Amino acid sequence: MTGLVCKSLRFLVCSAAIAVLLTAFAESAGQLVRQPPVRTQLDEPVDAYLRSLTPMQRISLLFLVNIDGSVSYRALEYDDAGSPLVPGGCLFFSYNVASSAEKVIAFTQAITDYCEHHRLPRPYTAIDQEGGSVNRLREIASPLPSPHLVSRILTPRKAAELYSLQGEQMAALGFDLNLAPVIEAAAPYNGDFLARRIYGPAAESAAFSFAAVRAYQAQQVMCAVKHFPGNSSTDPHSGVSVIAAGEKELAFSLDLPFSFTLAASPAAVLMSHAVVPSVDPDTPAVLSRIWIKDVLRGAFGYEGLVISDDIFMGALSSFDRKELAVRALRAGADVLMLSDKYFRDCAGALLDEAEKDPSFAACLHEAQRQVVLFKLRAGLFRTQKAADGTLQLVEVSLRDQRGTVDVRLKAFRDAKERGTSFYRTHFTGDAR
């Protein structure tokens, strides 16, 4: 592991000239993303908020779960006291996206209305909006080409315009987190799976990913960059992904895209399920303390939210789901993504493990704090001074955050019109 980190640092030095050029682009590309408040100022207000929740509400924060339907929202599970269980985040697939912007806006509003009615923490909403083949909003928003095509047609600066317009639309629809961009660099070992989902070689991936993160997050749509530390050509939905690359090849494909894009301060990093024998021989990255704590948190210095990829993918099918939940959190993940709509059994497994192991309870508390800090950065909370002068967190309603349904619909239509015009100009040559 030490060898990989040392090689990584040496490669970064060798890439200094490229990094300077990319930084020059980034600093001139527009307004920088607002950084989260200094963490030490938030320790007590975050802990006070967590103390206000029940144990099951606190543990539910650690799940990003697919939801039912596309029109109305209701919890599918309940705790022992009969209270609805709502996850920390709601994951939208294509079948959760209704047939019109009006209906999508109404659905995201219905989620927050349900939680307000039941006095539950409001979940953040997440969706995969990479562009090209992974485009959940293709029938709703303006066209979003694949990353591969974007890097062939646009400069990074122009790509930032494209993603800013897409971010405006996503924010108006009610989305808080985009599970994008894919910042992996093209490599001999990943082309069959990632194909046009990536921008290209390391330098291109770094420049365009940086632009995408800054553009989306400037519109208050947070980004979960993915997939750390990468994928092979095996689709993890169907089988075990093994990256058979040595430290030198890994250093080249990881350093520039990941370290440079992390400098854009993405709100989240999404872990892959890949096994990398040259680093951690038998452990998928999402379950690996080496990859999460030593490399991502340590060598790369990342301090934001760490999310697992879907733990129900074929790559992890040999594991028990409750065992996966415990192992991922113990390894350093903060949030578990589930394509399944039910999470109470996994939540119960985390609580049971915490009762037996104080060190694991500390892991859970740190993960819960990370989720609250993420929600603060995404605009679901604000800070205010209490009567005694102490700082406290106050939940923000969707209407206060994004505007009324009518205001959001108008904002969406305006951004979609500008986004469609941009697409016609740059990708079809039609400036109508």
Side-chain angles (χ1 to χ4, degrees):
M1 188 61 248
T2 303
L4 174 63
V5 173
C6 291
K7 288 175 183 289
S8 298
L9 293 176
R10 287 199 297 272
F11 181 76
L12 282 175
V13 172
C14 294
S15 302
I18 298 176
V20 167
L21 293 174
L22 294 175
T23 302
F25 151 72
E27 291 178 346
S28 64
Q31 183 180 2
L32 297 182
V33 175
R34 175 179 60 83
Q35 298 299 308
V38 177
R39 177 162 178 160
T40 53
Q41 299 175 348
L42 293 168
D43 285 349
E44 178 50 33
V46 168
D47 286 342
Y49 171 74
L50 289 171
R51 289 193 296 270
S52 74
L53 305 179
T54 68
M56 187 57 86
Q57 287 172 344
R58 286 195 294 270
I59 209 70
S60 296
L61 292 174
L62 307 183
F63 291 89
L64 172 57
V65 179
N66 183 226
I67 53 177
D68 191 39
S70 61
V71 178
S72 62
Y73 180 79
R74 64 181 179 87
L76 300 180
E77 298 177 287
Y78 297 82
D79 64 18
D80 291 339
S83 297
L85 285 183
V86 173
C90 293
L91 176 62
F92 279 62
F93 289 137
S94 295
Y95 52 76
N96 299 121
V97 178
S99 59
S100 68
E102 294 93 328
K103 292 179 180 179
V104 175
I105 290 171
F107 187 39
T108 54
Q109 185 64 54
I111 295 172
T112 191
D113 288 347
Y114 179 91
C115 294
E116 288 177 2
H117 176 75
H118 291 278
R119 298 184 179 180
L120 298 169
R122 173 188 156 199
Y124 57 91
T125 49
I127 194 167
D128 291 270
Q129 189 66 359
E130 300 172 11
S133 61
V134 184
N135 184 347
R136 310 289 191 216
L137 300 174
R138 68 173 70 253
E139 302 300 327
I140 303 295
S142 59
L144 185 62
S146 70
H148 175 83
L149 185 58
V150 167
S151 69
R152 297 300 178 270
I153 301 295
L154 302 179
T155 64
R157 188 187 303 278
K158 280 295 181 182
E161 292 183 38
L162 172 73
Y163 293 130
S164 180
L165 291 165
Q166 193 73 198
E168 283 189 61
Q169 295 168 72
M170 293 178 69
L173 291 172
F175 293 106
D176 303 301
L177 176 63
N178 188 4
L179 302 176
V182 177
I183 65 175
E184 297 165 64
Y189 54 78
N190 65 19
D192 290 346
F193 171 52
L194 292 176
R196 300 173 71 86
R197 294 174 64 190
I198 54 180
Y199 294 106
E204 288 183 12
S205 178
F208 284 93
S209 297
F210 193 108
V213 170
R214 283 287 170 90
Y216 279 116
Q217 294 191 167
Q219 299 302 329
Q220 207 61 27
V221 175
M222 300 297 101
C223 285
V225 298
K226 60 188 186 185
H227 311 76
F228 189 81
N231 283 284
S232 71
S233 284
T234 300
D235 186 341
H237 292 85
S238 57
V240 178
S241 178
V242 177
I243 298 178
E247 290 186 354
K248 183 176 180 180
E249 189 173 11
L250 279 174
F252 184 84
S253 61
L254 280 177
D255 277 331
L256 191 54
F258 279 99
S259 61
F260 189 76
T261 305
L262 291 182
S265 194
V269 170
L270 193 149
M271 298 298 298
S272 79
H273 297 330
V275 175
V276 189
S278 62
V279 176
D280 194 347
D282 303 311
T283 309
V286 70
L287 306 178
S288 170
R289 290 174 61 90
I290 293 176
W291 276 117
I292 299 177
K293 293 190 174 182
D294 294 349
V295 181
L296 182 60
R297 296 286 194 201
F300 285 97
Y302 182 68
E303 297 181 347
L305 195 69
V306 176
I307 304 175
S308 80
D309 208 340
D310 177 16
I311 65 173
F312 293 121
M313 286 183 177
L316 301 180
S317 60
S318 63
F319 295 89
D320 173 79
R321 60 185 274 158
K322 291 186 283 188
E323 176 194 0
L324 280 172
V326 171
R327 287 189 59 178
L329 268 294
R330 195 181 289 281
D334 302 310
V335 170
L336 297 169
M337 183 195 299
L338 281 70
S339 55
D340 190 6
K341 299 174 177 60
Y342 300 89
F343 67 97
R344 178 175 171 168
D345 61 337
C346 291
L350 297 181
L351 289 173
D352 290 344
E353 188 70 14
E355 288 183 4
K356 296 182 293 185
D357 183 354
S359 66
F360 185 70
C363 289
L364 295 187
H365 180 68
E366 178 59 25
Q368 291 157 3
R369 295 179 82 258
Q370 285 281 5
V371 174
V372 175
L373 289 168
F374 165 79
K375 291 174 71 174
L376 174 64
R377 187 176 180 188
L380 280 73
F381 287 110
R382 60 180 173 84
T383 57
Q384 70 176 25
K385 287 287 185 67
D388 61 1
T390 59
L391 197 65
Q392 62 182 198
L393 297 183
V394 178
E395 194 165 64
V396 177
S397 72
L398 182 56
R399 289 182 177 86
D400 288 341
Q401 180 194 13
R402 306 288 193 194
T404 65
V405 168
D406 289 342
V407 166
R408 290 164 59 197
L409 183 57
K410 183 178 184 303
F412 172 81
R413 287 172 172 167
D414 176 66
K416 180 178 180 179
E417 181 178 351
R418 287 181 284 119
T420 302
S421 176
F422 182 97
Y423 176 80
R424 286 172 173 164
T425 298
H426 295 282
F427 291 90
T428 70
D430 180 359
R432 287 180 298 172

